[in-house]
């Protein structure tokens, strides 16, 4: 199967918009309702979920990438191309985060974790579903919570989120051959299986913690990612396509992510002192800023301008 899937790009679009909103709230609205925060430790909040859902989508996107390029070259060449792209993504994330911190050093963050997930998924893309899921389960079992460090702290500490990429790879594998019926079955099983596991682990005393990637939280994110994909695919199959702007934004999600650094993070870090405004005004600025980043990303994409990774 060679064509892009609009519902997958729509899922990426929704995820990146939510990720931008979460970050912009931290920048422009330090005082806000608690439920609008994220990374609050053992408190599960709505904006904790977009980044791990995007991590899940990396696995599904990889299967389609490998299928799209399979006809253009030998499988080994295509895998090397995928590896090169994920290495570049890790390097880009390191540069962006180092500049945002105000000094050059090796740093780990969201793009780096996404890239590492992609590298691991490339390794297991050619293995059986049982092997890929077995590795994901092993990661969850050995990184279930108490001994975890912050997921975005280092290449080793991001391991809990890599299980999401492997799950996305297995769930999305049928899409590479155009088998949507099998995909729906897998997404349904993954959604309910992960939700059951998440609830069971939480009842067993393992909190939902996005910062450290506890097993209960990772399982919950897997359930949300699978459900999102299943819902959007079902809507697409019914003949109701996703908005073209959302699809285009999802296909250019990396551009939007880079623009937030260049146009928001760096000016605030180095040049702009934010005034003290009301909570409502600050939240309004968040919405406007997110809309502006999305609009600029779309304008650039329509002119063929994007981050070339």
């Amino acid at each position: 199967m060679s064509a892009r899937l609009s519902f997958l790009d729509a899922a990426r679009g929704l995820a990146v918009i939510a990720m931008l909103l979460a970050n912009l709230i931290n920048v422009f609205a330090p005082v806000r309702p608690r439920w609008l925060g994220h990374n609050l430790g053992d408190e599960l909040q709505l904006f904790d979920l977009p980044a791990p859902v995007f991590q899940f989508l990396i696995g599904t996107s990889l299967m389609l990438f490998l299928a799209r390029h399979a006809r253009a070259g030998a499988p080994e060449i295509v895998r090397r191309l995928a590896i090169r792209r994920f290495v570049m993504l890790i390097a880009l994330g390191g540069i962006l985060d180092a500049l945002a911190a105000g000094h050059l050093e090796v740093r780990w963050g969201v793009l780096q974790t996404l890239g590492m997930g992609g590298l691991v998924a490339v390794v297991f893309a050619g293995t059986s579903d049982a092997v890929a899921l077995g590795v994901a389960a092993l990661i969850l079992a050995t990184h279930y919570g108490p001994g975890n460090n912050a997921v975005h702290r280092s290449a080793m500490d991001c391991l809990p989120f890599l299980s999401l990429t492997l799950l996305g790879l297995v769930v999305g594998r049928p899409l590479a051959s155009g088998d949507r019926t099998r995909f729906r079955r897998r997404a349904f099983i993954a959604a309910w299986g992960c939700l059951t596991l998440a609830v069971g682990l939480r009842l067993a005393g393992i909190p939902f913690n996005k910062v450290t990637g506890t097993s209960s939280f990772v399982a919950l994110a897997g359930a949300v990612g699978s459900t999102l994909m299943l819902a959007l695919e079902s809507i697409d199959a019914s003949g109701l396509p996703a908005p073209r702007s959302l699809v285009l934004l999802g296909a250019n999600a990396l551009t939007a992510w880079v623009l937030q650094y260049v146009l928001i993070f760096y000016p605030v870090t180095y040049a702009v002192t934010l005034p003290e405004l009301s909570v409502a005004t600050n939240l309004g600025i968040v919405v406007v800023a997110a809309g502006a980043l999305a609009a600029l990303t779309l304008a650039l994409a329509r002119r063929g301008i994007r981050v070339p990774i």
Side-chain angles (χ1 to χ4, degrees):
M1 187 173 187
S2 59
R4 295 187 70 99
L5 294 177
S6 60
F7 74 86
L8 176 57
D9 282 332
R12 287 158 52 95
L14 289 173
V16 77
I17 277 289
M19 291 164 71
L20 291 175
L21 285 170
N23 286 345
L24 293 172
I25 286 171
N26 279 351
V27 172
F28 293 113
V31 178
R32 73 275 176 149
R34 195 165 183 80
W35 64 272
L36 287 176
H38 71 291
N39 292 344
L40 299 179
D42 289 346
E43 294 182 44
L44 177 64
Q45 303 296 342
L46 179 64
F47 282 119
D48 284 333
L49 292 167
V53 166
F54 206 102
Q55 190 81 42
F56 172 94
L57 297 174
I58 287 288
T60 302
S61 299
L62 173 66
M63 294 307 303
L64 295 175
F65 174 85
L66 296 176
R68 273 201 309 272
H69 290 80
R71 297 176 184 175
E76 186 59 34
I77 295 176
V78 177
R79 282 195 292 271
R80 284 202 297 267
L81 176 59
I83 289 171
R84 182 175 68 85
R85 294 182 65 171
F86 287 126
V87 169
M88 291 174 63
L89 186 63
I90 292 172
L92 175 62
I95 293 170
L96 291 173
D97 288 334
L99 292 175
H103 52 275
L104 292 178
E105 65 178 15
V106 177
R107 298 181 66 85
W108 203 258
V110 174
L111 290 187
Q112 296 89 312
T113 301
L114 292 175
M116 185 61 72
L119 289 176
V120 170
V122 170
V123 172
F124 291 97
T127 66
S128 68
D129 294 338
V131 170
L133 290 177
V135 172
L138 180 62
I139 291 173
L140 283 186
T142 55
H143 294 77
Y144 64 93
N148 294 7
N149 292 315
V151 168
H152 296 316
R153 178 174 178 264
S154 73
M156 289 301 297
D157 293 317
C158 74
L159 274 173
F161 273 20
L162 305 194
S163 58
L164 285 168
T165 312
L166 291 174
L167 176 62
L169 182 149
V170 171
V171 170
R173 199 189 296 270
L175 294 174
S177 59
D179 191 346
R180 289 203 177 194
T181 300
R182 196 152 150 253
F183 161 75
R184 292 187 202 109
R185 188 181 308 119
R186 289 192 177 202
F188 181 84
I189 293 172
W192 280 105
C194 285
L195 180 60
T196 301
L197 179 61
V199 172
L201 290 170
R202 181 64 188 89
L203 292 175
I206 300 176
F208 295 124
N209 189 318
K210 181 228 176 176
V211 176
T212 59
T214 58
S215 54
S216 58
F217 176 80
V218 170
L220 179 63
V224 173
S226 300
T227 301
L228 176 65
M229 288 281 288
L230 181 61
L232 291 177
E233 192 280 334
S234 298
I235 293 172
D236 182 72
S238 71
L240 185 62
R244 292 182 61 183
S245 58
L246 180 61
V247 173
L248 186 59
L249 179 63
N252 294 272
L254 182 56
T255 301
W257 191 258
V258 172
L259 286 175
Q260 84 173 322
Y261 280 82
V262 176
L263 300 179
I264 304 293
F265 292 169
Y266 296 158
V268 169
T269 299
Y270 294 109
V272 178
T273 300
L274 298 176
E276 293 186 9
L277 303 172
S278 68
V279 173
T281 301
N282 286 336
L283 292 178
I285 293 173
V286 167
V287 173
V288 171
L293 289 173
L296 181 55
T297 300
L298 294 175
L300 292 173
R302 293 182 179 115
R303 290 165 174 76
I305 302 172
R306 64 195 302 271
V307 176
I309 296 179

